[in-house]
């Protein structure tokens, strides 16, 4: 049985400062479905909303749960440099850092936007896109800041499959 979830976005996709009202339902529903160990991993571009004191307060009220303070660091050309800096500054308080790739050749649009991001694949060499994707995955891993990579298979979100064996590109 699944007992942990280390990929959650309490803020959704905007800055919503952490409060007990925002975080409490996550603890309640974790308990309800039998999770004992959860991590909050909002995207690094919303780091302004993350409040470690609020996470501490939530821990005090939910001593039966392991609640980890985390973040998802992706490769957003506009924000992730600041995100990396924030992670370094708060390293001592972070229990868990997810790493992910949401951007390919376009700086202004996540490739996994549905449906708009599908345009980034149209008429392109899919193998080349896969190679580029895994190069970017390695870059995120090479920051040395991430504990785990998220949704490694996100590249297939629009249904494109590589023509070659991908294991060589993963090395
Ligand atoms: Zn995520
Ligand atoms: Zn992600």
């Amino acid at each position: 049985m699944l007992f942990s979830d280390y990929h959650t976005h309490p803020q959704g996709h905007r800055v919503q400062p952490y409060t007990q009202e925002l975080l409490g339902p996550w603890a309640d529903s974790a308990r309800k479905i039998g999770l004992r160990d959860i991590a909050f991993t909002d995207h690094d571009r919303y780091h302004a909303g993350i409040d470690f004191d609020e996470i501490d307060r939530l821990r005090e009220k939910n001593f039966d749960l392991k609640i980890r303070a985390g973040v998802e660091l992706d490769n957003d050309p506009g924000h992730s440099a600041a995100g990396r800096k924030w992670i370094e500054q708060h390293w001592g308080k972070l229990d868990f850092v997810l790493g992910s790739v949401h951007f390919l050749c376009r700086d202004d649009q996540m490739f996994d936007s549905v449906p708009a991001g599908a345009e980034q694949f149209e008429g392109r060499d899919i193998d080349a896109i896969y190679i580029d994707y895994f190069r970017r995955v390695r870059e995120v891993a090479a920051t040395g800041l991430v504990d785990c990579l998220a949704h490694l298979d996100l590249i297939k979100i629009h249904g494109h499959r590589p023509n070659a064996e991908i294991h060589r590109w993963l090395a």
Side-chain angles (χ1 to χ4, degrees), residues 10-103:
Q11 298 187 71
H13 291 278
R14 60 202 156 112
V15 172
Q16 291 193 82
Y18 280 12
T19 60
Q20 297 312 294
E21 290 68 38
L22 185 78
L23 301 179
W26 290 80
D28 296 342
S29 71
R31 182 178 299 105
K32 200 176 291 175
I33 61 176
L35 298 178
R36 300 192 305 268
D37 186 350
I38 58 173
F40 296 134
T41 53
D42 276 304
H43 281 281
D44 63 271
R45 59 187 147 282
Y46 308 126
H47 65 73
I50 297 172
D51 184 330
F52 295 102
D53 292 335
E54 289 293 329
I55 295 175
D56 279 341
R57 285 182 59 202
L58 188 74
R59 286 167 171 149
E60 284 161 17
K61 289 189 281 191
N62 296 275
F63 51 84
D64 57 322
L65 298 174
K66 173 86 185 166
I67 298 172
R68 298 176 196 256
V71 69
E72 176 177 348
L73 174 68
D74 78 359
N75 68 329
D76 182 337
H79 297 94
S80 292
R84 283 198 300 275
K85 195 169 287 176
W86 182 87
I87 289 169
E88 285 165 357
Q89 284 166 351
H90 298 86
W91 190 248
K93 290 182 171 178
L94 283 166
D95 301 306
F96 183 70
V97 180
L98 266 182
S100 67
V101 170
H102 281 285
F103 291 83

Side-chain angles (χ1 to χ4, degrees), residues 105-125:
C105 53
R106 276 184 61 170
D107 287 0
D108 61 335
Q109 182 193 62
M110 290 185 172
F111 73 82
D112 57 307
S113 309
V114 176
E119 281 174 24
Q120 295 187 35
F121 295 71
E122 272 170 27
R124 301 274 314 278
D125 174 347

